[in-house]
Amino acid sequence: MHNTLSQKPVSTVFFNSLLFAPPFLFLIARGGTGLFSLVYLLVAVASWRAVRTVATPHIREVAPLLLAFAFPLLLALGYYVFDPEVRLRDLERPVRSLAAAAALLVVLVWRPSRRFLWWGLIAGAVAGAVFISYQRWVLGMDRPGGLINAITFGDISLCMGLMCLAASRDFHGRAVLWPVLGALAGLIGSVATGTRGGWVAAILAVLLLLRYGNVLGGRYRKGAALLVPVLLAMSFLVPQTGARERAMQGVADVEQYFAGGNTFTNMGVRLELWHTATELISEHPWLGRSVAAVDRAKQAMVARGEAPPYVLEFDHFHNDALHATVFGGVVGLLAWAGTLLLPFLFFRRQLHRGRAQRRDVTAPALAGMLLVVCYFGFGLTEVIFWTIHSSVFYALMLFMLAGLCLTAPRQSVTG
């Protein structure tokens, strides 16, 4: 290939920085991830001839990934054309998510070193943990959220920490302590925000690591994977974290809700929103309704006494699957599921094929699977795809990792 990074030192720095910067900036800067996704797009357009040549052999492999993000965009365009109440801004999230596919193309052509993505995750998790810990234990904020919000910050911090565990496969000897530090920082960042939804994702990630832990290799890396359940358990024993208090409060909220008591609690609100969502879905199960139509339907339910007035204060339903079905019906649910299932199957296939073909694909493939599993877990108690910030992070990380899988080098006989 005529445009290799080794021939252009300046290009090496630039393209390696495109891997490093998004995860490093996500938790500590506004707009950093979005800015670099735009840079990826501009670079892909500027080098379109090389992109077309290099990407063509991989079209069949990446087609499911492109479909996973193209279908939600086509669906959103259909709603925009045929429903006058659908807003133009409703297209921004699916447009920007699909545009993140430019990262895959750029990685395929310019082949930056994936170590810079790992260092970006480590540095980003550590910087985020320092930032959020300062807000929590120095400024005394009860639910700090950095520059975004507590739930999103805690979820993504945990996700970055877990991906650091996958990255440990590319570190050897004592150097493995760096991704372990990133994993620890990610867990600390999540605990400091006080979010509980991430615990579900952490459990799913541990199950995944137990299933594929053998690919990590080395007792230190396998031991590092045990950090997740151990540190989560320890957070319950340390009063300053507030984890045990919030867990017990969640249990009390649920008991109070089903006993007919006050429902305006953290868990009570979620349960009421889920109930409201199921009622709305039963009325329009196939294609869903626009934002304005859903608002009118909620107001009607409140007027009839079928839902408490506070449901009108929330723009989403604290569950990705329910939220997607309310606004998109069964078709919308399939679109949401595709953004998770198709990428997961892609990374799983890359992991198995890579091992069979002796390609060094373990770290990016496992990191991609953890990314998907985390977002699925987060979406059980939150609409993690609600903000463009977290949606673009998911898409950009996913396509960068996919590109690194496809450009993974051959392993040595001793590798």
Side-chain angles (χ1 to χ4, degrees), residues 321-333:
L322 290 175
H323 183 85
T325 312
V326 167
F327 291 99
V330 172
V331 179
L333 177 64

Side-chain angles (χ1 to χ4, degrees), residues 76 79-80 83-91 93 280 287-300 311-312 314-317 323-329 386:
Y79 284 131
Y80 178 70
D83 189 339
E85 290 189 326
V86 175
R87 305 159 298 179
L88 182 61
R89 67 180 183 180
D90 293 332
L91 300 178
R93 187 181 300 107
L280 295 175
L287 295 176
R289 287 181 277 198
S290 67
V291 173
V294 169
D295 286 341
R296 290 194 297 269
K298 289 196 295 183
Q299 291 171 1
V311 300
L312 302 177
F314 296 88
D315 295 322
H316 61 73
F317 293 91
H323 183 85
T325 312
V326 167
F327 291 99
W386 174 250

Side-chain angles (χ1 to χ4, degrees), residues 132 142-146 148-156 189-190 192-195:
I132 207 71
D142 182 46
R143 294 295 308 279
I148 39 181
N149 64 74
I151 295 176
T152 302
F153 191 105
D155 286 348
I156 303 305
S190 179
T193 63
T195 182

